[in-house]
Every structure is written in C-alpha cells, then in structure tokens.
Amino acid sequence: MEGKKILSRKLQSTLEERDRDKRLIKPADPEVLAQMVDFGSNDTLSLATSGALTRAFLDQLRKNPNFIVGSTSSRALEGTTKYLKDLELYLARFHKAESAAFFNSGYDANVAIWSTIPQPGDFVLHDEYVHASIHDGMRRGRATTVSFAHNNCDSFRRALEDLRDQHPAVLEGRQVVFIALESFYSMEGDAAPIHEMLDIAKKTLPRGNVMFSVDEAHSNGLIGPNGSGFVCHYGLEEEIGLRLNTCGKALGSNGGVVLASPTIKQTLINYARNFIFTTAPSFVALAAVKAGYEIIASEDGEKRRQRLQQNIRHFYHKLTSHPQWATVKARAIIQLPTENTWNTGPFQSPIIPLVTPGESTELAEQMQRAKFWANPVRYPVVPRKLDRVRISVHADNTEEQIDAVVEVIMDWAMKRAEQSERTAKL
C-alpha cells in the first residue's frame, strides 16, 4: 500500500505544478456548455447540435432493422460485418480512392499508418505542426523522421534535398520518403501549400520515390465535391498516396478512414496492432458515420458548407475591421496568424487562432462569462509563448452571435492594452 501512496504524491505534485502554470486540463461541465454559444467544438457543420445527425442516424436504424448492437470481435476475426464492409466500399467511392480501411478514431488510424507503413530505411518528412497522433505513430515506427518548418516551402525543399544528398538509397530511388501533412492545421487554421510541395518533390526526387500523406481531419465534409475533402477539391487523388479522413469533426460522430491502395489496406489489417488487437466498431458507431456522410452529400450539406464559409468570413471581417484592431495588433495583445490569408481563395478553415501569449486562459474566461464558449490552448499543445484561444466557427452561428463575441474579444483586448500602457508609465 505504501507504493500507492508514493505514486499518488508524485502524480499530485505534477498536477499541482501544471495547475500553477494554468495548464491543467479540466473538461468542461456539460451543464455549463449547454448555456453557452458554441465557438469551441469541432461540430463545425452543426450536424450534431442541430439534431440533423440524430434524425439521419435514426433513419439508418429504420433501414437496417435487424442490426445488432454488439461488435462481437476484432476486425481480424469476426468483427468485419457486412455493414462495415459496405461502408468501406461506399467511403472509397465517395472519396475517389482505391480502398478504405475504417478505424475507431482518427487518432488510431494515424498511429496505425505511421507505425506500420513506412519501412526500415524509409524516411518520414513531416511538418513540425502535424497532429500528436502522427508523432505517436512515428515514434512507434521504423523509419527515420525529419521535420521542416511549418508550411515553409524553402525549409521543405532544403530538408528533402538533404535526404537526397546524404542518403544514396533515396537518391537512387530505393527507399521511400513519406511526406506527412495536414489539410487544415488544427491549431493554426491554415492550409498546406500542397501544389508547391508536390512540385518541389517532383523536381527534387525525379525517380518518384515519394509518398504524400494528408490528414483531412479538419477538411473532411467542409470542402470538395459533396464535402469529400481537400484532396478531392484539388483533384489530387492520384498524387496523394495516403489520406486520413476523420468523422469526429464536421461529420459530428467518430471514427477515421484510411484511403489508400489495397496493398496498404492489407498491410494495416495484418500489421497494425491497434487494428488487430481492439474490438471492431459497432453498428451504432458506423450508422452515425453513414448518416453524416449522407447529410454532407445532400442539398442541406451544401447549404451548411456555404453558410459556414459565410460565417468564417464574417468573423474575420468584423474582427479585422474593428476600430481598435490596429491598436490591439500593434501592441501584440492579439496576433492573428491567418490575417493576411483569410480573404484569399475559395474557402477558409473554420479554425481561427487568436494568439495571446500568456493570456489565453484570461481571454477564454472573459468569453465564457459572456456565455460564449471557446478553448484556451497552451504549451505543450502549442509551442511556448504561442498560447491562444482557438475559435471554431460553426454553420449555425448567427451573425448576431459573431458580432457579439467579437465585441467581447476586443473589449478584453483594449482593457489589456490600457493595463499595459499604465504599467509602462510606472
């Protein structure tokens, strides 16, 4: 029993230290959330909160009256039901992919990809800001990993040239260089410069021994034909050898699908430990996924995508045209990394990062007192001194709600600016 006490003291000490640094994770109270306007969740098409997904899910139950609730087994054994098999075929067609392998979560899918697919002697060149699940998968994998500066094509080129010049097997085309990217980055809200990166890779590795992978967690459902995603929007299905499209963001449910060749799918089935040694997804989970896909492919889905983009642009416009924005920006009270790009291109990410070094918790609390929910994000989720409040705009947010939350944000920022000015005079 003494061991239990010692461990408890150690753990409590680390938790108290994190709490002092204002980095302790405290899940939101559902009763509190119910009273808030949502600018925090990943339900960006508002499928879950509007009840649209519930209605479509119940329709799936009516279409499949003989379903069973239990999963019964691992997918390596009896867990691949006909409904699951049919869903994977549907998802492959939907995303114009050769095959699809469904996982219980996008996190599981990323760990499976990066721990299993790159082989010994291969390299993984990844954006420094790729998701934690990619990092966890790479740590379990057998390939050498190298990072490049976020969305920096010069850094990407130099890293790729170094791999080519320092490793004859890469130069000669005997080993593969995997490129790990996200479509929209989950904390930055920006998009990968995919066309430029593809061009750089072709010129640097003319033998073609490169495999691009795009995590579409924050673009699936939001862009592309019928919401089929970033890669499909640009017609790059043949150029991108690996895709991960998750269902826990815009689609409102959970799970992730790996889109790749049949050989990669069979490799995952045979070697991915979190595919083999876990219970298969249940019919209930799969029916919610199918329901979400049917919504995003419908007229309602298209209207939601259009409304979301309108809301994103409205938020940016209200914030950056605010009379006090220039002052707030000049004094570095709030920094907006996407300020120069939000008004370009046909679409924007619903994620808007308000970088507030050392003050993210205070801004989030101010918003919550005004009944607007958003999440503060601090180190180690983001780099030190880049704390932020992560705004997530939704299709069902109203212009009035957006106008009001911008006023709350700017009121807080101006008070911080005034405090800073008074302190400087002392």
Side-chain angles (χ1 to χ4, degrees), residues 149-204:
H150 174 61
N151 271 356
N152 186 316
C153 287
D154 288 335
S155 176
F156 174 69
R157 180 187 291 106
R158 289 193 299 270
L160 204 55
E161 288 173 347
D162 287 346
L163 289 176
R164 179 198 63 194
D165 297 342
Q166 296 172 16
H167 301 279
V170 173
L171 175 65
E172 296 164 8
R174 291 184 283 111
Q175 299 295 158
V176 178
V177 178
F178 290 81
I179 312 297
L181 308 171
E182 295 186 29
S183 50
F184 293 140
Y185 283 83
S186 61
M187 292 297 155
E188 302 302 307
D190 52 4
I194 189 65
H195 292 97
E196 190 172 353
M197 288 182 164
L198 284 165
D199 186 56
I200 290 169
K202 289 175 183 177
K203 291 176 180 177
T204 308

Coordinates of all heavy atoms in Angstrom, one line a residue, residues 149-204:
A149 N 10.0 23.4 -41.1 CA 9.3 24.5 -40.6 C 7.9 24.5 -41.1 O 7.6 24.3 -42.3 CB 10.0 25.8 -40.8
H150 N 6.9 24.9 -40.3 CA 5.5 24.8 -40.7 C 5.2 25.6 -41.9 O 5.4 26.8 -42.0 CB 4.6 25.4 -39.5 CG 3.2 25.5 -39.9 ND1 2.4 24.4 -40.2 CD2 2.4 26.6 -39.9 CE1 1.2 24.8 -40.5 NE2 1.1 26.1 -40.3
N151 N 4.6 24.9 -42.9 CA 4.2 25.4 -44.2 C 5.2 26.3 -44.9 O 4.9 27.1 -45.7 CB 2.9 26.3 -44.0 CG 1.6 25.5 -44.1 OD1 1.7 24.3 -44.3 ND2 0.5 26.1 -43.8
N152 N 6.5 26.0 -44.6 CA 7.6 26.7 -45.2 C 8.2 25.9 -46.3 O 8.9 24.9 -46.1 CB 8.6 27.0 -44.1 CG 9.7 27.9 -44.6 OD1 10.3 27.8 -45.7 ND2 10.1 28.9 -43.8
C153 N 7.9 26.3 -47.6 CA 8.4 25.5 -48.7 C 9.9 25.5 -48.9 O 10.5 24.6 -49.4 CB 7.7 26.0 -50.0 SG 5.9 25.5 -50.1
D154 N 10.6 26.6 -48.5 CA 12.0 26.6 -48.5 C 12.6 25.6 -47.6 O 13.6 24.9 -47.9 CB 12.5 28.0 -48.2 CG 12.3 29.0 -49.3 OD1 12.1 28.6 -50.5 OD2 12.2 30.2 -49.0
S155 N 12.1 25.6 -46.4 CA 12.5 24.6 -45.4 C 12.2 23.2 -45.9 O 13.0 22.3 -45.7 CB 11.8 24.8 -44.0 OG 12.2 23.9 -43.1
F156 N 11.1 23.0 -46.5 CA 10.7 21.7 -47.0 C 11.7 21.3 -48.1 O 12.2 20.1 -48.1 CB 9.3 21.8 -47.6 CG 8.8 20.5 -48.3 CD1 8.6 19.3 -47.6 CD2 8.6 20.6 -49.7 CE1 8.2 18.2 -48.3 CE2 8.2 19.4 -50.4 CZ 8.0 18.3 -49.7
R157 N 12.0 22.2 -49.0 CA 12.9 21.9 -50.1 C 14.3 21.5 -49.6 O 14.9 20.5 -50.0 CB 13.1 23.1 -51.0 CG 14.0 22.8 -52.2 CD 14.2 24.1 -53.0 NE 13.0 24.4 -53.8 CZ 12.2 25.5 -53.5 NH1 12.5 26.2 -52.4 NH2 11.2 25.7 -54.2
R158 N 14.8 22.3 -48.6 CA 16.1 22.0 -48.1 C 16.2 20.6 -47.4 O 17.1 19.9 -47.5 CB 16.5 23.1 -47.1 CG 16.9 24.4 -47.7 CD 17.5 25.4 -46.7 NE 16.7 25.7 -45.6 CZ 15.8 26.7 -45.5 NH1 15.7 27.5 -46.6 NH2 15.1 26.9 -44.4
A159 N 15.1 20.3 -46.6 CA 15.1 19.0 -45.9 C 15.1 17.9 -46.9 O 15.7 16.9 -46.7 CB 13.9 19.0 -45.0
L160 N 14.3 18.0 -48.0 CA 14.2 17.0 -49.0 C 15.5 16.8 -49.7 O 16.0 15.7 -50.0 CB 13.1 17.3 -50.0 CG 12.4 16.2 -50.7 CD1 11.9 15.1 -49.8 CD2 11.2 16.7 -51.6
E161 N 16.2 18.0 -50.0 CA 17.5 17.9 -50.7 C 18.5 17.2 -49.8 O 19.4 16.5 -50.3 CB 17.9 19.3 -51.1 CG 17.1 19.9 -52.2 CD 17.4 21.4 -52.5 OE1 18.1 22.0 -51.6 OE2 17.0 21.9 -53.6
D162 N 18.5 17.5 -48.5 CA 19.4 16.9 -47.6 C 19.2 15.4 -47.6 O 20.2 14.6 -47.6 CB 19.2 17.5 -46.2 CG 19.8 18.9 -46.0 OD1 20.5 19.3 -46.9 OD2 19.4 19.6 -45.0
L163 N 18.0 14.9 -47.5 CA 17.8 13.5 -47.6 C 18.3 12.9 -48.8 O 18.9 11.8 -48.8 CB 16.3 13.2 -47.4 CG 15.6 13.5 -46.1 CD1 14.1 13.3 -46.1 CD2 16.2 12.6 -45.0
R164 N 18.1 13.5 -49.9 CA 18.6 13.0 -51.2 C 20.1 13.0 -51.3 O 20.7 12.0 -51.7 CB 18.0 13.9 -52.4 CG 18.5 13.5 -53.8 CD 18.3 14.7 -54.7 NE 19.1 15.9 -54.3 CZ 19.0 17.1 -54.8 NH1 18.0 17.4 -55.6 NH2 19.8 18.1 -54.4
D165 N 20.7 14.1 -50.8 CA 22.2 14.2 -50.9 C 22.9 13.4 -49.9 O 24.1 13.0 -50.2 CB 22.6 15.7 -50.8 CG 22.0 16.5 -51.9 OD1 21.6 16.0 -53.0 OD2 21.9 17.8 -51.7
Q166 N 22.3 13.1 -48.8 CA 23.0 12.4 -47.7 C 22.8 10.9 -47.7 O 23.4 10.1 -47.0 CB 22.7 13.0 -46.4 CG 23.1 14.4 -46.2 CD 22.6 15.1 -45.0 OE1 22.1 14.4 -44.0 NE2 22.6 16.4 -44.9
H167 N 21.8 10.4 -48.5 CA 21.4 9.0 -48.4 C 21.3 8.5 -49.9 O 20.3 8.7 -50.6 CB 20.1 8.8 -47.7 CG 20.1 9.4 -46.3 ND1 20.6 8.6 -45.2 CD2 19.7 10.6 -45.8 CE1 20.5 9.4 -44.1 NE2 20.0 10.5 -44.4
P168 N 22.3 7.7 -50.3 CA 22.3 7.2 -51.7 C 21.0 6.4 -52.0 O 20.6 6.4 -53.2 CB 23.5 6.3 -51.7 CG 24.4 6.9 -50.6 CD 23.5 7.4 -49.6
A169 N 20.4 5.7 -51.0 CA 19.2 4.9 -51.3 C 18.1 5.8 -51.7 O 17.2 5.4 -52.5 CB 18.9 4.0 -50.1
V170 N 18.0 7.0 -51.2 CA 17.0 7.9 -51.6 C 17.3 8.5 -52.9 O 16.4 8.5 -53.8 CB 16.9 9.1 -50.5 CG1 15.9 10.2 -51.0 CG2 16.4 8.5 -49.2
L171 N 18.5 8.9 -53.2 CA 18.9 9.4 -54.5 C 18.6 8.4 -55.6 O 18.2 8.7 -56.7 CB 20.4 9.7 -54.4 CG 21.0 10.2 -55.8 CD1 20.4 11.5 -56.2 CD2 22.6 10.3 -55.6
E172 N 18.9 7.1 -55.3 CA 18.7 6.1 -56.3 C 17.3 5.5 -56.4 O 17.0 4.6 -57.2 CB 19.7 4.9 -56.0 CG 21.2 5.4 -56.1 CD 22.1 4.4 -55.5 OE1 21.7 3.3 -55.0 OE2 23.3 4.7 -55.3
G173 N 16.4 6.0 -55.6 CA 15.0 5.6 -55.6 C 14.7 4.3 -55.0 O 13.7 3.7 -55.2
R174 N 15.6 3.8 -54.1 CA 15.4 2.5 -53.4 C 14.7 2.6 -52.1 O 14.2 1.6 -51.6 CB 16.8 1.8 -53.2 CG 17.5 1.4 -54.5 CD 18.8 0.6 -54.2 NE 19.9 1.5 -53.9 CZ 20.4 1.6 -52.7 NH1 19.9 0.8 -51.7 NH2 21.4 2.4 -52.4
Q175 N 14.6 3.8 -51.5 CA 13.9 4.0 -50.3 C 12.9 5.1 -50.5 O 13.1 6.0 -51.3 CB 14.8 4.3 -49.1 CG 15.8 3.2 -48.8 CD 15.2 1.9 -48.3 OE1 15.8 0.9 -48.4 NE2 14.0 2.0 -47.8
V176 N 11.8 5.0 -49.8 CA 10.7 6.0 -49.9 C 10.8 7.1 -48.9 O 11.1 6.9 -47.8 CB 9.3 5.3 -49.8 CG1 8.2 6.3 -49.9 CG2 9.2 4.2 -50.8
V177 N 10.5 8.3 -49.4 CA 10.4 9.5 -48.5 C 8.9 9.8 -48.4 O 8.2 10.1 -49.3 CB 11.1 10.7 -49.0 CG1 10.9 11.9 -48.0 CG2 12.6 10.4 -49.1
F178 N 8.3 9.6 -47.2 CA 6.9 9.9 -46.9 C 6.8 11.4 -46.5 O 7.7 11.9 -45.7 CB 6.4 9.0 -45.7 CG 6.2 7.6 -46.1 CD1 7.3 6.7 -46.1 CD2 4.9 7.1 -46.5 CE1 7.1 5.4 -46.5 CE2 4.8 5.8 -46.8 CZ 5.8 4.9 -46.8
I179 N 5.8 12.1 -46.9 CA 5.6 13.5 -46.6 C 4.3 13.5 -45.8 O 3.2 13.2 -46.3 CB 5.5 14.4 -47.8 CG1 6.6 14.1 -48.8 CG2 5.4 15.8 -47.4 CD1 8.0 14.4 -48.3
A180 N 4.4 13.9 -44.5 CA 3.2 14.0 -43.6 C 2.7 15.4 -43.5 O 3.5 16.2 -42.9 CB 3.5 13.4 -42.3
L181 N 1.5 15.7 -43.9 CA 0.9 17.0 -43.9 C -0.5 16.9 -43.3 O -1.1 15.8 -43.3 CB 0.8 17.6 -45.3 CG 2.1 17.6 -46.2 CD1 1.7 18.0 -47.6 CD2 3.1 18.5 -45.6
E182 N -1.0 18.1 -43.0 CA -2.5 18.2 -42.7 C -3.1 19.1 -43.8 O -2.3 19.9 -44.4 CB -2.7 18.8 -41.3 CG -2.3 17.8 -40.2 CD -2.7 18.3 -38.8 OE1 -3.7 19.0 -38.7 OE2 -1.9 18.0 -37.9
S183 N -4.3 19.0 -44.0 CA -5.0 19.9 -45.0 C -5.1 21.2 -44.3 O -4.5 22.2 -44.7 CB -6.4 19.3 -45.4 OG -7.1 18.9 -44.2
F184 N -6.0 21.3 -43.3 CA -6.1 22.5 -42.4 C -5.5 22.1 -41.1 O -5.8 21.0 -40.5 CB -7.6 22.9 -42.1 CG -8.3 23.4 -43.3 CD1 -9.6 23.1 -43.5 CD2 -7.7 24.3 -44.2 CE1 -10.4 23.5 -44.6 CE2 -8.4 24.8 -45.3 CZ -9.8 24.4 -45.5
Y185 N -4.5 22.9 -40.6 CA -3.9 22.6 -39.4 C -4.7 22.9 -38.2 O -5.4 24.0 -38.1 CB -2.5 23.3 -39.3 CG -1.5 22.5 -40.2 CD1 -1.4 22.8 -41.6 CD2 -0.7 21.5 -39.7 CE1 -0.6 22.1 -42.4 CE2 0.2 20.8 -40.5 CZ 0.2 21.1 -41.8 OH 1.1 20.4 -42.6
S186 N -4.8 22.0 -37.2 CA -5.8 22.1 -36.2 C -5.6 23.2 -35.2 O -6.5 23.6 -34.5 CB -5.8 20.8 -35.4 OG -4.5 20.5 -34.8
M187 N -4.4 23.8 -35.1 CA -4.2 24.9 -34.1 C -3.8 26.2 -34.9 O -3.9 27.3 -34.3 CB -3.0 24.6 -33.2 CG -3.4 23.5 -32.2 SD -4.8 24.0 -31.1 CE -5.5 22.4 -30.7
E188 N -3.4 26.1 -36.1 CA -3.0 27.3 -36.9 C -4.2 27.8 -37.8 O -4.2 29.0 -38.1 CB -1.8 27.0 -37.8 CG -0.6 26.5 -37.0 CD -0.2 27.5 -36.0 OE1 0.0 28.7 -36.3 OE2 0.0 27.2 -34.8
G189 N -5.0 26.9 -38.2 CA -6.1 27.3 -39.1 C -5.7 27.6 -40.5 O -6.5 28.1 -41.3
D190 N -4.5 27.2 -40.9 CA -4.1 27.5 -42.3 C -4.0 26.2 -43.0 O -4.1 25.1 -42.5 CB -2.7 28.2 -42.3 CG -1.7 27.5 -41.4 OD1 -1.9 26.4 -40.9 OD2 -0.5 28.0 -41.3
A191 N -3.8 26.3 -44.4 CA -3.8 25.1 -45.2 C -2.4 24.8 -45.8 O -1.6 25.7 -46.0 CB -4.8 25.3 -46.4
A192 N -2.1 23.5 -46.0 CA -0.9 23.2 -46.6 C -0.7 23.7 -48.0 O -1.7 23.6 -48.8 CB -0.7 21.6 -46.6
P193 N 0.4 24.2 -48.4 CA 0.6 24.7 -49.8 C 0.9 23.5 -50.7 O 2.0 23.3 -51.2 CB 1.9 25.6 -49.6 CG 2.6 25.1 -48.5 CD 1.6 24.5 -47.5
I194 N -0.1 22.7 -50.9 CA 0.1 21.3 -51.4 C 0.7 21.4 -52.8 O 1.5 20.5 -53.2 CB -1.2 20.5 -51.3 CG1 -1.0 19.1 -51.7 CG2 -2.3 21.2 -52.2 CD1 -0.2 18.3 -50.8
H195 N 0.2 22.3 -53.7 CA 0.7 22.3 -55.1 C 2.2 22.6 -55.1 O 2.9 21.9 -55.9 CB -0.1 23.3 -55.9 CG -1.5 22.9 -56.1 ND1 -2.5 23.4 -55.3 CD2 -2.1 22.0 -57.0 CE1 -3.7 22.8 -55.7 NE2 -3.4 22.0 -56.7
E196 N 2.6 23.5 -54.4 CA 4.0 23.9 -54.4 C 4.9 22.7 -53.8 O 6.0 22.4 -54.4 CB 4.3 25.2 -53.6 CG 5.7 25.7 -53.8 CD 5.9 27.1 -53.1 OE1 4.9 27.7 -52.7 OE2 7.0 27.6 -53.1
M197 N 4.4 22.1 -52.8 CA 5.1 21.0 -52.2 C 5.2 19.8 -53.2 O 6.3 19.1 -53.3 CB 4.5 20.5 -50.9 CG 4.7 21.5 -49.8 SD 4.0 21.0 -48.2 CE 4.8 22.1 -47.1
L198 N 4.1 19.5 -53.9 CA 4.2 18.4 -54.9 C 5.2 18.8 -56.0 O 6.0 17.9 -56.4 CB 2.8 18.3 -55.5 CG 1.8 17.5 -54.7 CD1 0.4 17.7 -55.2 CD2 2.1 16.0 -54.6
D199 N 5.3 20.0 -56.4 CA 6.2 20.4 -57.5 C 7.6 20.3 -57.0 O 8.5 19.8 -57.7 CB 5.9 21.9 -57.9 CG 6.7 22.3 -59.0 OD1 6.7 21.6 -60.1 OD2 7.4 23.3 -58.9
I200 N 7.9 20.7 -55.7 CA 9.2 20.6 -55.2 C 9.7 19.1 -55.1 O 10.8 18.8 -55.4 CB 9.3 21.2 -53.8 CG1 9.1 22.8 -53.9 CG2 10.5 20.9 -53.0 CD1 8.9 23.5 -52.6
A201 N 8.8 18.3 -54.6 CA 9.1 16.8 -54.5 C 9.4 16.2 -55.9 O 10.4 15.4 -56.0 CB 7.9 16.1 -53.8
K202 N 8.7 16.6 -56.9 CA 8.9 16.0 -58.2 C 10.3 16.4 -58.8 O 11.0 15.7 -59.4 CB 7.8 16.5 -59.2 CG 6.5 15.8 -58.9 CD 5.4 16.3 -59.8 CE 4.0 15.7 -59.5 NZ 2.9 16.3 -60.4
K203 N 10.6 17.7 -58.5 CA 11.9 18.2 -59.0 C 13.1 17.6 -58.2 O 14.2 17.4 -58.7 CB 11.9 19.7 -59.0 CG 11.0 20.3 -60.0 CD 11.0 21.8 -59.9 CE 10.0 22.5 -60.9 NZ 9.9 23.9 -60.7
T204 N 12.9 17.5 -56.9 CA 14.0 17.1 -56.0 C 14.2 15.6 -56.1 O 15.4 15.1 -56.0 CB 13.7 17.5 -54.5 OG1 13.4 18.8 -54.5 CG2 14.9 17.2 -53.6

